[in-house]
Amino acid sequence: MKSSDADLSMTIGELAERFDLRPHVLRHWEASGLLSPAERVNGRRRYTKRHIARVAMIVRGKAAGFSLEQLRDVLDAGNADARQVLLRAHYEELERRIREIEASRTLIEHAMSCRAHDFTECPGFSRLVESLNEGAADAEAYSVELRGHVH
């Protein structure tokens, strides 16, 4: 272990706490080959900054929808080009999901501000649904225009 790594080494409990995980999760990731086994010092696992970086990628990747298998493929890609192909495909899927979430947020924002008895019958809501279904780029602008108006 390099001296710079030794200064940053952590026990399994410290690493788990840093990422709000349970230690058994790190042990599972080690057993499944997602996380390289930690060096043992006096019988206790010691994790380095390299482990910290991998755990950060695993945690963030899982939050972004990566499966453990996808994360293993990305982390263990043979070279930068192979990793870029894997990441690009997932990035494009994230972009698609973000657009869907933004469209849902736009509808919810309108429904929250709509004063109609039944917001689904509101003409403004109907126009918004239509613009979103058509993939209109101006759906967000339309939503902003509707904010503050009594429907």
Side-chain angles (χ1 to χ4, degrees):
M1 191 182 320
K2 295 179 188 174
S3 62
S4 62
D5 284 350
D7 294 339
L8 294 173
S9 72
M10 305 175 129
T11 65
I12 192 168
E14 291 167 337
L15 181 59
E17 184 177 333
R18 181 173 181 160
F19 290 96
D20 197 26
L21 301 169
R22 301 239 184 224
H24 72 85
V25 172
L26 298 175
R27 287 187 206 98
H28 170 72
W29 291 348
E30 278 189 20
S32 66
L34 195 57
L35 188 62
S36 61
E39 181 178 328
R40 291 187 179 262
V41 176
N42 296 327
R44 297 186 73 193
R45 288 176 169 90
R46 297 300 296 183
Y47 294 90
T48 66
K49 66 180 181 178
R50 183 164 186 257
H51 291 104
I52 295 167
R54 283 183 75 98
V55 170
M57 180 60 185
I58 295 166
V59 168
R60 295 308 324 145
K62 282 180 48 97
F66 276 91
S67 69
L68 291 179
E69 184 178 331
Q70 288 172 315
L71 286 164
R72 186 180 313 105
D73 291 345
V74 168
L75 290 166
D76 295 338
N79 58 53
D81 290 338
R83 184 173 41 256
Q84 288 300 317
V85 168
L86 295 169
L87 289 172
R88 174 59 55 193
H90 200 73
Y91 179 85
E92 290 169 2
E93 174 60 16
L94 283 175
E95 287 294 315
R96 184 194 64 73
R97 288 176 43 209
I98 288 168
R99 286 190 302 276
E100 287 181 3
I101 290 168
E102 288 172 344
S104 296
R105 182 183 64 200
T106 298
L107 289 175
I108 290 168
E109 286 174 344
H110 181 86
M112 288 187 323
S113 67
C114 186
R115 301 281 186 232
H117 174 70
D118 181 351
F119 70 87
T120 63
E121 294 179 10
C122 168
F125 187 81
S126 295
R127 284 192 303 275
L128 185 56
V129 168
E130 187 176 311
S131 70
L132 289 171
N133 285 339
E134 293 172 357
D138 63 344
E140 180 63 27
Y142 180 68
S143 175
V144 169
E145 178 185 319
L146 288 174
R147 286 185 199 131
H149 291 109
V150 177
H151 311 312

